[in-house]
Amino acid sequence: NATGFRVGAIALWVVALAFEVLAYLVLIGKINLNFMPSLWQMISFLVLDLICVIVGSQFWKKANHIKPASEKNKTLFWLWNNMGLIVAVVCFFPFVILALTNKEADKKTKAIATVVAVIALLIGGVASYDFDPVSVEEQQAAIEAIANDVYWSPFGKVYHTHDDCQSLNQSDELTYGTVEQAIAANRTRLCAFCAKKDDISGVKTDQNVDEIELETTE
């Protein structure tokens, strides 16, 4: 359920913050593990920080697809759906500032630390950003408009009301379930071909039927 994913995301983000702190303590010489050079210690902590940020963000996005937020307040809706992006900034940007302003670390170490942290910030930010958020209003509209099961392919990005839809003609394997299950599986839009065939309106779809890419399992 959504709560479990949210708890998991928050727990991973807390661990990510801890790794950021550890990386900084290595930078200033407060921590030194004898079995590897300090530079590699710092990089390792930043990499672990990045992994926790990304996995936590995927959990958060999954929770938002299971139990979407309302889009009545656009600002809150964006912030809620992109908590992962905000956490990515918190987990790396302070380290960058502290590394640049630290006068004790040598220039080479500071330069490498800054570059690694900036790259991690960029990767974590892109991976954490929700490019296709769904709102509770969109979810409810789809539930009300579609009573029957829907279908989706393993690598498709939309769900379908017909298992013989023309955009599924190269898919050998299909999953079926409710609209809620499809949205939870990150299929947040209805196939425009199916919407046109069933004359469904008011549901989020692919905008241009002529430009829909065929869904394949390749």
Side-chain angles (χ1 to χ4, degrees), residues 4 13 22 25-27 37 88 100 111 130 133 153 162 171 174 187 189:
W13 288 339
L22 290 172
L25 291 176
V26 171
L27 177 66
L100 290 174
D130 194 341
S153 63
H162 298 275
S171 298
L174 294 178
R187 276 67 175 183
R189 297 166 293 155

Side-chain angles (χ1 to χ4, degrees), residues 140-200:
Q140 191 59 39
I143 292 172
E144 292 176 358
I146 305 170
N148 298 323
D149 284 340
V150 295
Y151 308 87
W152 61 93
S153 63
F155 303 103
K157 296 181 179 180
V158 299
Y159 59 89
H160 307 260
T161 53
H162 298 275
D163 59 357
D164 59 350
C165 175
Q166 65 190 80
S167 64
L168 288 170
N169 61 4
Q170 294 188 34
S171 298
D172 296 325
E173 181 182 346
L174 294 178
T175 302
Y176 71 92
T178 64
V179 172
E180 290 175 288
Q181 291 172 325
I183 293 174
N186 202 31
R187 276 67 175 183
T188 58
R189 297 166 293 155
L190 170 64
C191 166
F193 289 125
C194 293
K196 184 176 181 180
K197 184 175 182 178
D198 294 337
D199 194 24
I200 297 175

